[in-house]
CSV table of all heavy atoms in Angstrom, one decimal:
chain,number,residue,atom,x,y,z
A,92,THR,N,10.7,1.9,-2.3
A,92,THR,CA,9.6,2.7,-1.7
A,92,THR,C,8.3,1.9,-1.9
A,92,THR,O,8.0,1.4,-3.0
A,92,THR,CB,9.5,4.2,-2.3
A,92,THR,OG1,10.7,4.9,-2.0
A,92,THR,CG2,8.2,4.9,-1.7
A,93,TYR,N,7.5,1.8,-0.8
A,93,TYR,CA,6.3,1.1,-0.8
A,93,TYR,C,5.2,2.0,-0.7
A,93,TYR,O,5.1,3.0,0.3
A,93,TYR,CB,6.3,0.0,0.4
A,93,TYR,CG,7.2,-1.1,0.0
A,93,TYR,CD1,8.6,-0.9,0.2
A,93,TYR,CD2,6.7,-2.3,-0.6
A,93,TYR,CE1,9.5,-1.9,-0.1
A,93,TYR,CE2,7.7,-3.3,-0.9
A,93,TYR,CZ,9.0,-3.1,-0.6
A,93,TYR,OH,9.8,-4.2,-1.0
A,94,LEU,N,4.3,2.1,-1.6
A,94,LEU,CA,3.2,3.0,-1.8
A,94,LEU,C,1.9,2.3,-1.4
A,94,LEU,O,1.5,1.2,-2.1
A,94,LEU,CB,3.1,3.6,-3.1
A,94,LEU,CG,4.3,4.4,-3.5
A,94,LEU,CD1,4.3,4.4,-5.1
A,94,LEU,CD2,4.2,5.8,-3.1
A,95,CYS,N,1.0,2.7,-0.6
A,95,CYS,CA,-0.3,2.2,-0.4
A,95,CYS,C,-1.2,3.1,-1.5
A,95,CYS,O,-1.0,4.2,-1.6
A,95,CYS,CB,-0.9,2.1,1.0
A,95,CYS,SG,-0.9,3.8,1.6
A,96,ALA,N,-2.2,2.5,-2.0
A,96,ALA,CA,-3.1,3.0,-2.9
A,96,ALA,C,-4.6,2.5,-2.6
A,96,ALA,O,-4.8,1.5,-2.4
A,96,ALA,CB,-2.8,2.9,-4.4
A,97,ILE,N,-5.4,3.4,-2.7
A,97,ILE,CA,-6.9,3.3,-2.1
A,97,ILE,C,-7.8,3.7,-3.2
A,97,ILE,O,-7.6,4.8,-3.8
A,97,ILE,CB,-7.2,3.8,-0.8
A,97,ILE,CG1,-6.1,3.3,0.2
A,97,ILE,CG2,-8.5,3.4,-0.4
A,97,ILE,CD1,-6.3,3.8,1.6
A,98,GLN,N,-8.9,2.9,-3.5
A,98,GLN,CA,-9.8,3.3,-4.7
A,98,GLN,C,-11.2,3.2,-4.1
A,98,GLN,O,-11.5,2.2,-3.4
A,98,GLN,CB,-9.5,2.4,-5.8
A,98,GLN,CG,-10.4,2.7,-7.0
A,98,GLN,CD,-10.1,1.6,-8.1
A,98,GLN,OE1,-9.9,0.4,-7.8
A,98,GLN,NE2,-10.3,2.0,-9.5
A,99,SER,N,-12.0,4.3,-4.4
A,99,SER,CA,-13.3,4.2,-3.8
A,99,SER,C,-14.4,3.3,-4.5
A,99,SER,O,-15.3,3.0,-3.9
A,99,SER,CB,-13.9,5.6,-3.7
A,99,SER,OG,-14.0,6.3,-5.0
A,100,GLY,N,-14.0,3.1,-5.8
A,100,GLY,CA,-15.0,2.2,-6.4
A,100,GLY,C,-14.5,1.9,-7.9
A,100,GLY,O,-13.5,2.4,-8.3
A,101,TYR,N,-15.3,1.1,-8.6
A,101,TYR,CA,-15.0,0.7,-10.0
A,101,TYR,C,-14.7,2.0,-10.8
A,101,TYR,O,-15.5,2.9,-10.8
A,101,TYR,CB,-16.1,-0.1,-10.6
A,101,TYR,CG,-15.9,-0.4,-12.0
A,101,TYR,CD1,-15.3,-1.8,-12.4
A,101,TYR,CD2,-16.4,0.4,-13.1
A,101,TYR,CE1,-15.2,-2.0,-13.7
A,101,TYR,CE2,-16.2,0.0,-14.3
A,101,TYR,CZ,-15.6,-1.3,-14.7
A,101,TYR,OH,-15.5,-1.6,-16.0
A,102,GLY,N,-13.5,2.0,-11.5
A,102,GLY,CA,-13.3,3.1,-12.4
A,102,GLY,C,-13.0,4.4,-11.8
A,102,GLY,O,-12.6,5.4,-12.5
A,103,GLN,N,-12.9,4.5,-10.4
A,103,GLN,CA,-12.5,5.6,-9.7
A,103,GLN,C,-11.0,5.8,-9.6
A,103,GLN,O,-10.4,4.8,-9.7
A,103,GLN,CB,-13.2,5.7,-8.3
A,103,GLN,CG,-14.7,5.7,-8.3
A,103,GLN,CD,-15.3,6.7,-9.0
A,103,GLN,OE1,-15.1,7.8,-8.7
A,103,GLN,NE2,-16.1,6.4,-9.9
A,104,ASN,N,-10.5,7.0,-9.4
A,104,ASN,CA,-9.1,7.2,-9.6
A,104,ASN,C,-8.5,6.6,-8.2
A,104,ASN,O,-9.3,6.5,-7.2
A,104,ASN,CB,-8.8,8.6,-9.8
A,104,ASN,CG,-9.1,9.5,-8.7
A,104,ASN,OD1,-8.5,9.5,-7.7
A,104,ASN,ND2,-10.1,10.2,-8.9
A,105,PHE,N,-7.3,6.3,-8.2
A,105,PHE,CA,-6.5,5.9,-7.1
A,105,PHE,C,-6.0,7.1,-6.2
A,105,PHE,O,-5.7,8.1,-6.8
A,105,PHE,CB,-5.3,5.1,-7.4
A,105,PHE,CG,-5.6,3.8,-8.0
A,105,PHE,CD1,-6.8,3.2,-8.3
A,105,PHE,CD2,-4.5,2.9,-8.1
A,105,PHE,CE1,-7.0,2.1,-8.8
A,105,PHE,CE2,-4.7,1.6,-8.7
A,105,PHE,CZ,-5.9,1.2,-9.2
A,106,VAL,N,-6.0,7.0,-4.9
A,106,VAL,CA,-5.4,7.9,-4.0
A,106,VAL,C,-4.2,7.3,-3.4
A,106,VAL,O,-4.4,6.2,-2.8
A,106,VAL,CB,-6.3,8.5,-2.9
A,106,VAL,CG1,-5.6,9.4,-2.1
A,106,VAL,CG2,-7.6,9.0,-3.6
A,107,PHE,N,-3.0,7.7,-3.6
A,107,PHE,CA,-1.8,7.1,-3.2
A,107,PHE,C,-1.3,7.7,-1.9
A,107,PHE,O,-1.4,8.9,-1.8
A,107,PHE,CB,-0.7,7.2,-4.2
A,107,PHE,CG,-0.7,6.3,-5.3
A,107,PHE,CD1,-1.5,6.6,-6.5
A,107,PHE,CD2,0.1,5.0,-5.2
A,107,PHE,CE1,-1.6,5.7,-7.5
A,107,PHE,CE2,0.0,4.1,-6.3
A,107,PHE,CZ,-0.8,4.4,-7.5
A,108,GLY,N,-0.7,7.0,-1.0
A,108,GLY,CA,0.0,7.5,0.1
A,108,GLY,C,1.3,8.0,-0.4
A,108,GLY,O,1.7,7.8,-1.5
A,109,PRO,N,2.1,8.8,0.5
A,109,PRO,CA,3.3,9.3,0.1
A,109,PRO,C,4.5,8.4,-0.1
A,109,PRO,O,5.5,8.7,-0.6
A,109,PRO,CB,3.7,10.4,1.1
A,109,PRO,CG,2.8,9.9,2.3
A,109,PRO,CD,1.7,9.1,1.8
A,110,GLY,N,4.3,7.2,0.4
A,110,GLY,CA,5.3,6.1,0.3
A,110,GLY,C,6.2,6.0,1.5
A,110,GLY,O,6.5,7.0,2.2
A,111,THR,N,6.6,4.8,1.8
A,111,THR,CA,7.6,4.5,2.9
A,111,THR,C,8.9,4.0,2.2
A,111,THR,O,8.7,2.9,1.5
A,111,THR,CB,7.1,3.6,3.9
A,111,THR,OG1,6.0,4.1,4.6
A,111,THR,CG2,8.3,3.2,5.0
A,112,ARG,N,10.0,4.7,2.5
A,112,ARG,CA,11.2,4.2,1.8
A,112,ARG,C,11.9,3.1,2.8
A,112,ARG,O,12.1,3.4,3.9
A,112,ARG,CB,12.2,5.3,1.6
A,112,ARG,CG,13.4,5.0,0.8
A,112,ARG,CD,13.9,6.3,0.0
A,112,ARG,NE,14.1,7.4,1.0
A,112,ARG,CZ,15.2,7.7,1.5
A,112,ARG,NH1,16.3,7.0,1.4
A,112,ARG,NH2,15.3,8.7,2.3
Side-chain angles (χ1 to χ4, degrees):
Chain A
T92 295
Y93 289 80
L94 300 154
C95 61
I97 305 178
Q98 188 181 29
S99 60
Y101 177 91
Q103 301 300 306
N104 69 73
F105 289 9
V106 179
F107 281 85
T111 298
R112 192 152 51 94

